Amino acid sequence: GDYNLKIDYVFKVVLIGDSAVGKTQLLARFARNEFSVDSKATIGVEFQTKTLIIDNKTIKAQIWDTAGQERYRAVTSAYYRGAVGAMIVYDMTKRQSFDHLARWLEELRGHADKNIVIMLIGNKCDLSSLRAVPTEDAEEFAQRENLFFMETSALESTNVETCFLTILTEIYRIN
Ligand code: GDP
Ligand code: MG
């Protein structure tokens, strides 16, 4: 356990995006290096923590996962409260999950602190033959909305560590 570590910072980061895009599996991969194929829809508000060192500081990342409340406007303001980072996830094989991003962003910006660091994540890049969202479309959206952007695979562990490290490093840099 990390009970004997002196924690310098606790950073709350929220995961949002449509149901079944892979939010829970991204978190499982990052926090516990696990992945499950028959992932159940999450029930009850949950977060996981992971302690890491950035710039010689001990940072506890507290990553919140939606509790099957991904319907429009069902995520409560308590979920966003105190968040310094957000990861908006879509499934690159499901165009609809990309088309809903503006809605997620609007909801996020309506609830969150204005300095929140936001990262856009196109998950399931292992399913390249089923791709429905070109990288350029997502890059353009991210650039326009001033978001970090990365494509990931929770299944194959591609870019998962990198995307969490990138957002946490940026949060550390600006806080
Ligand atoms: P959530 O509703 O956004 O939390 O989505 P889940 O994490 O529960 O994942 C939904 C489904 O997509 C599950 O069947 C996962 O196994 C699958 N899944 C999640 N991430 C990936 C990925 O990177 N690649 C593939 N091929 N499947 C994934
Ligand atoms: Mg989930």
Side-chain angles (χ1 to χ4, degrees):
D2 53 32
Y3 55 87
N4 55 352
L5 280 178
K6 177 180 158 286
I7 304 293
D8 295 303
Y9 299 94
V10 178
F11 291 150
K12 176 178 174 179
V13 174
V14 293
L15 287 164
I16 54 175
D18 281 8
S19 185
V21 296
K23 300 180 297 298
T24 298
Q25 293 311 309
L26 282 166
L27 181 51
R29 177 64 79 194
F30 175 64
R32 306 188 307 270
N33 198 23
E34 287 175 8
F35 181 90
S36 82
V37 175
D38 56 348
S39 174
K40 304 280 186 304
T42 322
I43 296 162
V45 171
E46 283 181 26
F47 64 81
Q48 300 210 38
T49 61
K50 179 155 171 155
T51 301
L52 55 167
I53 311 286
I54 296 175
D55 193 24
N56 281 326
K57 297 287 190 294
T58 306
I59 289 168
K60 183 181 264 193
Q62 189 184 76
I63 320 281
W64 289 58
D65 188 10
T66 54
Q69 333 147 294
E70 291 98 334
R71 283 167 299 107
Y72 188 44
R73 296 205 164 137
V75 177
T76 63
S77 52
Y79 187 74
Y80 295 104
R81 194 165 303 134
V84 289
M87 303 174 107
I88 307 189
V89 186
Y90 68 94
D91 175 345
M92 67 168 64
T93 73
K94 294 270 175 339
R95 182 74 203 189
Q96 184 172 256
S97 69
F98 181 78
D99 294 336
H100 287 164
L101 290 175
R103 202 186 262 186
W104 281 112
L105 206 51
E106 182 194 24
E107 175 165 303
L108 174 65
R109 291 199 165 126
H111 286 93
D113 192 271
K114 72 167 171 33
N115 292 323
I116 192 166
V117 178
I118 309 172
M119 176 170 273
L120 177 63
I121 300 203
N123 189 41
K124 309 198 187 182
C125 71
D126 55 285
L127 301 174
S128 53
S129 62
L130 300 174
R131 179 191 283 273
V133 181
T135 304
E136 305 75 58
D137 289 17
E139 275 171 350
E140 193 187 305
F141 181 83
Q143 202 157 45
R144 182 154 29 96
E145 297 291 345
N146 200 21
L147 319 172
F148 289 85
F149 168 61
M150 243 170 240
E151 293 185 339
T152 61
S153 167
L155 175 65
E156 293 186 342
S157 210
T158 311
N159 270 344
V160 177
E161 183 97 12
T162 308
C163 74
F164 280 98
L165 271 178
T166 301
I167 193 170
L168 290 164
T169 301
E170 178 63 11
I171 291 165
Y172 169 73
R173 196 182 69 76
I174 70 165
N175 279 275

PDB file of all heavy atoms in Angstrom, residues 38-53:
ATOM      1  N   ASP A  38     -15.791  -8.973 -20.651  1.00  0.00           N
ATOM      2  CA  ASP A  38     -17.222  -8.863 -20.359  1.00  0.00           C
ATOM      3  C   ASP A  38     -17.452  -7.818 -19.268  1.00  0.00           C
ATOM      4  O   ASP A  38     -18.063  -8.086 -18.242  1.00  0.00           O
ATOM      5  CB  ASP A  38     -17.803 -10.220 -19.946  1.00  0.00           C
ATOM      6  CG  ASP A  38     -17.055 -10.830 -18.765  1.00  0.00           C
ATOM      7  OD1 ASP A  38     -15.963 -10.324 -18.426  1.00  0.00           O
ATOM      8  OD2 ASP A  38     -17.568 -11.812 -18.205  1.00  0.00           O
ATOM      9  N   SER A  39     -16.926  -6.613 -19.538  1.00  0.00           N
ATOM     10  CA  SER A  39     -17.038  -5.511 -18.594  1.00  0.00           C
ATOM     11  C   SER A  39     -18.507  -5.183 -18.313  1.00  0.00           C
ATOM     12  O   SER A  39     -19.294  -4.951 -19.210  1.00  0.00           O
ATOM     13  CB  SER A  39     -16.334  -4.299 -19.208  1.00  0.00           C
ATOM     14  OG  SER A  39     -16.514  -3.156 -18.435  1.00  0.00           O
ATOM     15  N   LYS A  40     -18.868  -5.171 -17.036  1.00  0.00           N
ATOM     16  CA  LYS A  40     -20.241  -4.833 -16.650  1.00  0.00           C
ATOM     17  C   LYS A  40     -20.412  -3.318 -16.604  1.00  0.00           C
ATOM     18  O   LYS A  40     -19.473  -2.618 -16.253  1.00  0.00           O
ATOM     19  CB  LYS A  40     -20.559  -5.402 -15.259  1.00  0.00           C
ATOM     20  CG  LYS A  40     -20.350  -6.897 -15.132  1.00  0.00           C
ATOM     21  CD  LYS A  40     -21.524  -7.677 -15.710  1.00  0.00           C
ATOM     22  CE  LYS A  40     -21.389  -9.170 -15.467  1.00  0.00           C
ATOM     23  NZ  LYS A  40     -20.131  -9.748 -15.978  1.00  0.00           N
ATOM     24  N   ALA A  41     -21.596  -2.858 -16.933  1.00  0.00           N
ATOM     25  CA  ALA A  41     -21.875  -1.431 -16.760  1.00  0.00           C
ATOM     26  C   ALA A  41     -21.657  -1.092 -15.286  1.00  0.00           C
ATOM     27  O   ALA A  41     -22.097  -1.826 -14.403  1.00  0.00           O
ATOM     28  CB  ALA A  41     -23.306  -1.122 -17.178  1.00  0.00           C
ATOM     29  N   THR A  42     -20.965  -0.021 -15.053  1.00  0.00           N
ATOM     30  CA  THR A  42     -20.592   0.351 -13.693  1.00  0.00           C
ATOM     31  C   THR A  42     -21.835   0.721 -12.888  1.00  0.00           C
ATOM     32  O   THR A  42     -22.715   1.401 -13.381  1.00  0.00           O
ATOM     33  CB  THR A  42     -19.662   1.570 -13.736  1.00  0.00           C
ATOM     34  OG1 THR A  42     -18.790   1.424 -14.842  1.00  0.00           O
ATOM     35  CG2 THR A  42     -18.869   1.711 -12.461  1.00  0.00           C
ATOM     36  N   ILE A  43     -21.901   0.274 -11.655  1.00  0.00           N
ATOM     37  CA  ILE A  43     -23.031   0.633 -10.796  1.00  0.00           C
ATOM     38  C   ILE A  43     -22.516   1.366  -9.561  1.00  0.00           C
ATOM     39  O   ILE A  43     -21.594   0.909  -8.909  1.00  0.00           O
ATOM     40  CB  ILE A  43     -23.832  -0.624 -10.378  1.00  0.00           C
ATOM     41  CG1 ILE A  43     -24.456  -1.265 -11.623  1.00  0.00           C
ATOM     42  CG2 ILE A  43     -24.916  -0.257  -9.378  1.00  0.00           C
ATOM     43  CD1 ILE A  43     -24.889  -2.698 -11.422  1.00  0.00           C
ATOM     44  N   GLY A  44     -23.109   2.507  -9.274  1.00  0.00           N
ATOM     45  CA  GLY A  44     -22.693   3.307  -8.123  1.00  0.00           C
ATOM     46  C   GLY A  44     -21.483   4.152  -8.477  1.00  0.00           C
ATOM     47  O   GLY A  44     -20.662   3.763  -9.290  1.00  0.00           O
ATOM     48  N   VAL A  45     -21.391   5.333  -7.884  1.00  0.00           N
ATOM     49  CA  VAL A  45     -20.250   6.214  -8.169  1.00  0.00           C
ATOM     50  C   VAL A  45     -18.973   5.571  -7.642  1.00  0.00           C
ATOM     51  O   VAL A  45     -18.924   5.076  -6.528  1.00  0.00           O
ATOM     52  CB  VAL A  45     -20.445   7.606  -7.535  1.00  0.00           C
ATOM     53  CG1 VAL A  45     -19.175   8.430  -7.650  1.00  0.00           C
ATOM     54  CG2 VAL A  45     -21.599   8.328  -8.208  1.00  0.00           C
ATOM     55  N   GLU A  46     -17.963   5.548  -8.480  1.00  0.00           N
ATOM     56  CA  GLU A  46     -16.727   4.892  -8.091  1.00  0.00           C
ATOM     57  C   GLU A  46     -15.528   5.688  -8.548  1.00  0.00           C
ATOM     58  O   GLU A  46     -15.567   6.324  -9.584  1.00  0.00           O
ATOM     59  CB  GLU A  46     -16.630   3.524  -8.764  1.00  0.00           C
ATOM     60  CG  GLU A  46     -17.502   2.489  -8.117  1.00  0.00           C
ATOM     61  CD  GLU A  46     -17.362   1.146  -8.808  1.00  0.00           C
ATOM     62  OE1 GLU A  46     -16.297   0.891  -9.412  1.00  0.00           O
ATOM     63  OE2 GLU A  46     -18.310   0.370  -8.755  1.00  0.00           O
ATOM     64  N   PHE A  47     -14.486   5.615  -7.763  1.00  0.00           N
ATOM     65  CA  PHE A  47     -13.218   6.133  -8.256  1.00  0.00           C
ATOM     66  C   PHE A  47     -12.105   5.187  -7.849  1.00  0.00           C
ATOM     67  O   PHE A  47     -12.270   4.368  -6.958  1.00  0.00           O
ATOM     68  CB  PHE A  47     -12.946   7.558  -7.767  1.00  0.00           C
ATOM     69  CG  PHE A  47     -12.783   7.705  -6.279  1.00  0.00           C
ATOM     70  CD1 PHE A  47     -11.571   7.407  -5.661  1.00  0.00           C
ATOM     71  CD2 PHE A  47     -13.833   8.153  -5.495  1.00  0.00           C
ATOM     72  CE1 PHE A  47     -11.419   7.546  -4.289  1.00  0.00           C
ATOM     73  CE2 PHE A  47     -13.678   8.294  -4.120  1.00  0.00           C
ATOM     74  CZ  PHE A  47     -12.469   7.989  -3.515  1.00  0.00           C
ATOM     75  N   GLN A  48     -10.999   5.298  -8.524  1.00  0.00           N
ATOM     76  CA  GLN A  48      -9.822   4.526  -8.166  1.00  0.00           C
ATOM     77  C   GLN A  48      -8.658   5.487  -8.032  1.00  0.00           C
ATOM     78  O   GLN A  48      -8.641   6.529  -8.684  1.00  0.00           O
ATOM     79  CB  GLN A  48      -9.515   3.507  -9.253  1.00  0.00           C
ATOM     80  CG  GLN A  48     -10.658   2.553  -9.436  1.00  0.00           C
ATOM     81  CD  GLN A  48     -10.209   1.183  -9.900  1.00  0.00           C
ATOM     82  OE1 GLN A  48      -9.174   0.683  -9.470  1.00  0.00           O
ATOM     83  NE2 GLN A  48     -10.999   0.606 -10.773  1.00  0.00           N
ATOM     84  N   THR A  49      -7.717   5.113  -7.206  1.00  0.00           N
ATOM     85  CA  THR A  49      -6.561   5.994  -7.033  1.00  0.00           C
ATOM     86  C   THR A  49      -5.297   5.282  -7.481  1.00  0.00           C
ATOM     87  O   THR A  49      -5.200   4.062  -7.439  1.00  0.00           O
ATOM     88  CB  THR A  49      -6.385   6.421  -5.565  1.00  0.00           C
ATOM     89  OG1 THR A  49      -6.171   5.267  -4.780  1.00  0.00           O
ATOM     90  CG2 THR A  49      -7.590   7.182  -5.055  1.00  0.00           C
ATOM     91  N   LYS A  50      -4.386   6.103  -7.941  1.00  0.00           N
ATOM     92  CA  LYS A  50      -3.058   5.588  -8.271  1.00  0.00           C
ATOM     93  C   LYS A  50      -2.065   6.671  -7.875  1.00  0.00           C
ATOM     94  O   LYS A  50      -2.250   7.838  -8.196  1.00  0.00           O
ATOM     95  CB  LYS A  50      -2.955   5.266  -9.751  1.00  0.00           C
ATOM     96  CG  LYS A  50      -1.586   4.744 -10.130  1.00  0.00           C
ATOM     97  CD  LYS A  50      -1.646   3.896 -11.379  1.00  0.00           C
ATOM     98  CE  LYS A  50      -0.243   3.560 -11.861  1.00  0.00           C
ATOM     99  NZ  LYS A  50      -0.216   2.331 -12.645  1.00  0.00           N
ATOM    100  N   THR A  51      -1.040   6.254  -7.154  1.00  0.00           N
ATOM    101  CA  THR A  51      -0.034   7.216  -6.692  1.00  0.00           C
ATOM    102  C   THR A  51       1.166   7.149  -7.612  1.00  0.00           C
ATOM    103  O   THR A  51       1.634   6.070  -7.956  1.00  0.00           O
ATOM    104  CB  THR A  51       0.358   6.902  -5.242  1.00  0.00           C
ATOM    105  OG1 THR A  51      -0.827   6.966  -4.447  1.00  0.00           O
ATOM    106  CG2 THR A  51       1.364   7.904  -4.717  1.00  0.00           C
ATOM    107  N   LEU A  52       1.609   8.300  -8.059  1.00  0.00           N
ATOM    108  CA  LEU A  52       2.766   8.334  -8.937  1.00  0.00           C
ATOM    109  C   LEU A  52       3.641   9.541  -8.633  1.00  0.00           C
ATOM    110  O   LEU A  52       3.217  10.459  -7.939  1.00  0.00           O
ATOM    111  CB  LEU A  52       2.362   8.264 -10.419  1.00  0.00           C
ATOM    112  CG  LEU A  52       1.387   9.261 -11.012  1.00  0.00           C
ATOM    113  CD1 LEU A  52       1.439   9.157 -12.528  1.00  0.00           C
ATOM    114  CD2 LEU A  52      -0.041   8.976 -10.578  1.00  0.00           C
ATOM    115  N   ILE A  53       4.848   9.488  -9.137  1.00  0.00           N
ATOM    116  CA  ILE A  53       5.815  10.558  -8.891  1.00  0.00           C
ATOM    117  C   ILE A  53       5.960  11.384 -10.167  1.00  0.00           C
ATOM    118  O   ILE A  53       6.223  10.837 -11.231  1.00  0.00           O
ATOM    119  CB  ILE A  53       7.212   9.999  -8.525  1.00  0.00           C
ATOM    120  CG1 ILE A  53       7.122   8.933  -7.439  1.00  0.00           C
ATOM    121  CG2 ILE A  53       8.171  11.130  -8.140  1.00  0.00           C
ATOM    122  CD1 ILE A  53       6.845   9.419  -6.056  1.00  0.00           C
TER     123      ILE A  53
END
